[in-house]
Amino acid sequence: METLEFQSEARQLLQLMIHSIYSNKDTFLRELVSNASDALDKLRLESFRDKDMQVDTDDLHIVVESDPSERTLTVRDNGIGMTREDVVRLIGTIAKSGTAEFLKQLKEQQSASGSSDLIGQFGIGFYSSFMVADKVTLVTKHPHAEKGVRWESTGEATYTIDDVDDAPQGTSVTLHLKPSDDEDKLPDYTEPAKIREIVKRYSDFITWPVRLGGEDINSRKALWARPASEVTEEEYAEFYRHISHDWNAPLETIRMQAEGTFEYQALLFLPAQAPLDLFMRDGKRGVQLYVKRVFIMDDCAELMPEYLRFVKGVVDAADLSLNVSREILQQDRQIQLMRRRLVKKVLSSIKSLQSSRPDDYRKLWGEVGAALKEGLLSDHDNRDAILEVCSFASTHSDSELTTLAAYVSRMKEGQEHIYYMTGDSRVAVENSPHLEALRAKGYEVLILTDTIDEMWVDSVPAFDGKSFQSVAKGQVDLETEEEKSAAAAKAEEFAALLEWMKGVLEAEVKEVRLSSRLTTSPACVVGDSYDITPTLEKMYKAMGQELPKIKRILELNPSHPLVEGLRTAFEGGERESLTDAVELVHGLALLAEGGELGDPSRFVKLVADRVQRTF
Ligand code: ADP
């Protein structure tokens, strides 16, 4: 017998279970039955693929057994089982992506509020046994292993592991139950009525029989194959929890049925809370694939594009081979067709949420909007449909987001573009000088602060025939004829100064010109329409990409006293001290947009010199 230590993250999770922060302890049984069901799925699949495998698949099932005098509860399956290495790797460690992050959040939340809903977002699976048991024994045998394995632990720092000569195929998990205790909401789990109730509630849809005292206690009906009118919301919610490892109920349930040459049924869910791995590199995506009620694979990415990775569910196709592989799926035309329909259905469901349940729509958007927007780059066919379900912050409201349709409905007479500005934060955008004139004239500007926004705005040409126009790029054309001729006169007055300034700032800017977008600030820097934005530039640099230096355009506000002063001094023949002043004006413009100075120490020295002169 060998004694091994749990990996430290596993140990932390176990401590959480032992001290049982989650009030609904019944769910441990759902987790064990769910694991057993997965193990049966896997064995059946393996036996299809490997005809030489010596296993009996005639009567795959799950048994729940209790012994009131010993106070034990056992969940047994004759599924795939685990090898010794599997047990150490799968039960002794937590390899799930996001565990560290989850534990961190959990700690923060616990110290903040004393309780935790977060646990619900993370499938804690097998470890939930320790909510109700003070010792757990697992015996398992994999078809390829010669001997079985016994694993045992009290959930403290260590577990023991040992060989077993006569273990049957599959896995049994025996819980040595804590004393039942009404106050601690710990019922007597050895009671058949209690077991039956929990299995019915949480695991009725499991496709394998769950037996108690020789009797099947679940109905085993695939939800997606039952008439929609007969399935309750609670049943959908339990099924969703089973496949998603999210302990919350789904926000929306979507059913689809396609008849004809290629028949399939789909049952999809939109989450009320974003999966923890939504923005992780190795996060899960895709739905479960079944063929005629037989489970084929988890995370079938061929059926759901990456930007809809928050959609969970099942697709059951009638005409695929049970042996279908990922390679085949990738090339299959029917699969591509199916995927297209699924995507359209998901997008149209979100759209109808928007009008029928706006609060839920907003919740969904807040959770997964940043992922959904990735589709604007990757899914050209559905770009318009995606734009329709997007929401953005805007200068129209401090707290409410706006849809593009609502923006367009508020556009001013003669306004041709949808104005937007990208930046690091709402505050940075709102305070940026670029917005001044638009604001003064009452134009609404979208405030885009997600990383992905920097990218899609350049590749999406228009919404509803209105093109997107950055207020920090190109020329802003907001002037009346009168204003235009006044501006032309000003431009003439300032021409010599602008030319000279361009020479002074040659290394930094490609042009110095007068601005029509400023009312209160002296200056701002802008890009040409095709230039990449400073934020994007920073991102590329952070990724280690070398970029050629991007020169931008310095715009001056001719009505500002500082700019007027520059001109007077210039015309008076001043050059040397004016050079410093020009550098300062350029630096201020960069700072105002949240940009970075090329040479901060020089800027500081220039400012210090100026301030000194005021005494
Ligand atoms: P999850 O089920 O969310 O992956 P668990 O902690 O419940 O997490 O289980 C970890 C892993 O241990 C499973 O993914 C599975 O590979 C293995 N496992 C658990 N229970 C069984 C079982 N009854 N039969 C075979 N393997 C199992």
Coordinates of all heavy atoms in Angstrom, one line a residue, residues 35-36 38-39 42 77 80-82 90-91 96 123-127 171 245, ligand 1:
N35 N -20.7 11.0 -13.1 CA -19.4 10.4 -13.4 C -19.6 9.0 -13.9 O -18.9 8.5 -14.8 CB -18.5 10.4 -12.2 CG -17.8 11.7 -11.9 OD1 -17.8 12.6 -12.8 ND2 -17.2 11.9 -10.8
A36 N -20.5 8.2 -13.2 CA -20.7 6.8 -13.6 C -21.3 6.8 -15.0 O -20.9 5.9 -15.8 CB -21.7 6.2 -12.6
D38 N -20.9 9.0 -17.4 CA -19.8 9.3 -18.4 C -18.9 8.0 -18.6 O -18.5 7.7 -19.7 CB -18.9 10.4 -17.8 CG -19.6 11.7 -17.8 OD1 -20.7 11.8 -18.4 OD2 -19.1 12.7 -17.2
A39 N -18.7 7.3 -17.5 CA -17.8 6.1 -17.6 C -18.5 5.0 -18.4 O -17.8 4.3 -19.2 CB -17.5 5.6 -16.2
K42 N -18.2 6.1 -22.1 CA -16.8 5.9 -22.6 C -16.6 4.4 -22.9 O -16.0 4.1 -23.9 CB -15.8 6.4 -21.6 CG -15.6 7.9 -21.6 CD -14.6 8.3 -20.6 CE -14.7 9.8 -20.2 NZ -14.1 10.1 -18.9
D77 N -20.6 1.5 -11.0 CA -20.9 1.4 -12.4 C -20.0 0.3 -13.0 O -19.0 -0.1 -12.4 CB -20.7 2.7 -13.1 CG -19.2 3.1 -13.1 OD1 -18.4 2.5 -13.8 OD2 -18.9 4.1 -12.4
I80 N -16.0 2.3 -17.8 CA -14.6 2.2 -18.3 C -13.6 2.0 -17.2 O -12.5 1.4 -17.4 CB -14.2 3.4 -19.1 CG1 -12.9 3.3 -19.8 CG2 -14.2 4.7 -18.3 CD1 -13.0 2.5 -21.1
G81 N -13.9 2.5 -16.0 CA -12.9 2.3 -14.9 C -11.7 3.2 -15.1 O -11.6 4.0 -16.0
M82 N -10.7 3.0 -14.1 CA -9.5 3.8 -14.2 C -8.3 2.9 -13.9 O -8.4 1.9 -13.1 CB -9.5 4.9 -13.2 CG -10.4 6.0 -13.5 SD -10.5 7.3 -12.2 CE -11.9 6.7 -11.2
L90 N -6.3 11.7 -12.0 CA -7.6 12.3 -12.1 C -8.2 12.6 -10.7 O -9.0 13.6 -10.5 CB -8.6 11.3 -12.8 CG -8.2 11.1 -14.3 CD1 -9.1 9.9 -14.8 CD2 -8.5 12.3 -15.1
I91 N -7.9 11.8 -9.7 CA -8.5 12.0 -8.4 C -7.5 12.7 -7.5 O -8.0 13.4 -6.6 CB -8.9 10.6 -7.8 CG1 -9.8 9.8 -8.8 CG2 -9.6 10.8 -6.5 CD1 -11.2 10.4 -9.0
K96 N -8.2 20.7 -14.1 CA -9.1 21.5 -14.8 C -8.6 22.9 -15.0 O -8.0 23.5 -14.1 CB -10.4 21.6 -14.0 CG -11.6 21.2 -14.8 CD -12.8 21.2 -13.9 CE -13.3 19.8 -13.7 NZ -14.0 19.6 -12.5
G123 N -17.6 22.8 -11.6 CA -18.0 21.4 -11.3 C -17.0 20.8 -10.4 O -15.8 20.5 -10.8
I124 N -17.3 20.5 -9.1 CA -16.3 20.0 -8.2 C -16.4 18.5 -8.2 O -15.6 17.8 -7.6 CB -16.4 20.6 -6.8 CG1 -17.9 21.0 -6.5 CG2 -15.5 21.7 -6.6 CD1 -18.7 19.9 -6.1
G125 N -17.4 17.9 -8.8 CA -17.4 16.5 -9.1 C -17.2 15.6 -7.9 O -17.8 15.8 -6.8
F126 N -16.3 14.7 -8.1 CA -16.1 13.6 -7.1 C -15.8 14.1 -5.7 O -16.3 13.5 -4.7 CB -14.8 12.8 -7.6 CG -14.4 11.8 -6.7 CD1 -15.1 10.6 -6.6 CD2 -13.2 12.0 -6.0 CE1 -14.6 9.6 -5.7 CE2 -12.8 11.0 -5.1 CZ -13.5 9.8 -5.0
Y127 N -15.1 15.2 -5.6 CA -14.8 15.8 -4.3 C -16.0 16.2 -3.5 O -15.9 16.3 -2.2 CB -13.8 17.0 -4.4 CG -12.4 16.7 -4.8 CD1 -12.0 15.3 -5.0 CD2 -11.5 17.7 -4.9 CE1 -10.7 15.0 -5.3 CE2 -10.2 17.4 -5.2 CZ -9.8 16.0 -5.5 OH -8.5 15.8 -5.8
T171 N -16.2 0.9 -11.7 CA -15.8 1.7 -10.5 C -16.9 1.7 -9.5 O -18.1 1.8 -9.8 CB -15.6 3.2 -10.9 OG1 -14.7 3.3 -12.0 CG2 -15.1 4.0 -9.8
H245 N -21.6 21.5 -16.1 CA -20.9 21.7 -14.8 C -21.2 23.1 -14.2 O -20.4 23.5 -13.4 CB -19.4 21.4 -14.9 CG -19.1 20.0 -15.2 ND1 -19.2 19.0 -14.3 CD2 -18.8 19.3 -16.4 CE1 -18.9 17.8 -14.8 NE2 -18.7 18.0 -16.1
Ligands
ADP1 P1 -15.2 15.8 -13.7 O1 -16.2 14.7 -13.7 O2 -15.9 17.1 -13.6 O3 -14.2 15.7 -14.7 P2 -14.5 14.6 -11.2 O4 -13.6 15.1 -10.1 O5 -15.8 14.2 -10.8 O6 -14.5 15.7 -12.3 O7 -13.7 13.4 -11.8 C1 -12.4 13.5 -12.3 C2 -12.2 12.4 -13.3 O8 -12.1 11.2 -12.7 C3 -13.3 12.3 -14.4 O9 -13.1 13.2 -15.4 C4 -13.1 10.8 -14.8 O10 -12.0 10.8 -15.8 C5 -12.6 10.2 -13.6 N1 -13.7 9.5 -13.0 C6 -14.5 9.9 -12.0 N2 -15.5 9.0 -11.6 C7 -15.3 8.0 -12.5 C8 -16.0 6.7 -12.7 N3 -17.0 6.4 -12.0 N4 -15.5 5.9 -13.6 C9 -14.4 6.2 -14.4 N5 -13.7 7.4 -14.3 C10 -14.2 8.3 -13.3

